[in-house]
Amino acid sequence: MPPPAHVRPLDLADAATAAAVHRIGRAAYGVEAELIGFDGIPALRESLAELRARPLHWLGAMSAEGALAGFLAWAREPDGPVRGGPVRVDRLCVDPARFRRGVASLLLEHALAGVFADRPVVVVTGAANAPALRLYERLGFVRGADFSPVQGLRMASFSRAATGP
């Protein structure tokens, strides 16, 4: 399978797009659940309606044939008293059939160079998800403290400073 051809915004108001995002997310989180030894990942139980209702921004990596290969979703934290509050990556998922073809890198590099360039970025992933840990470290994220939101689950936190003006 060739690498993804381009990145574009996704509109989850479109039923076919939302269904593809939901399918890929469930498949990707199923793999992560196996990697980290924890099947309580909330996105595994999220309905299509719940997914569509989330107040997130979405980017998709599209194949040359126009199929969704993976996606990135994020929320901008409120600025509060200081302009430039962080972007919180909510999810970065790749269709397992397209693992190790540069999809996650393409999405994150696109966002870091453009959409996120003027803001710090934070992300959390399973501490035993070695592919995700390598990706974030390779792209300049700094690992923060690990934490356990529930018994049996260790999460790793990462941050990256703003790179733009």
Side-chain angles (χ1 to χ4, degrees), residues 64-154:
E65 303 80 35
L68 185 64
F71 61 86
L72 172 67
W74 72 94
R76 285 190 178 241
E77 297 296 326
D79 280 333
V82 178
R83 178 132 177 79
V87 171
R88 179 184 46 81
V89 173
D90 186 79
R91 52 190 81 191
L92 174 58
C93 296
V94 175
D95 184 338
R98 296 178 187 268
F99 277 2
R100 299 189 194 354
R101 290 187 170 80
V103 177
S105 295
L106 175 72
L107 284 162
L108 202 48
E109 288 169 350
H110 178 90
L112 291 169
V115 182
F116 302 166
D118 63 337
R119 309 278 295 256
V121 181
V122 295
V123 65
V124 172
T125 191
N129 185 345
L133 301 179
R134 285 191 301 272
L135 172 69
Y136 295 125
E137 288 170 350
R138 182 173 52 79
L139 294 179
F141 284 80
V142 176
R143 188 163 178 174
D146 287 3
F147 64 98
S148 293
V150 296
Q151 178 93 18
L153 175 62
R154 200 169 103 242

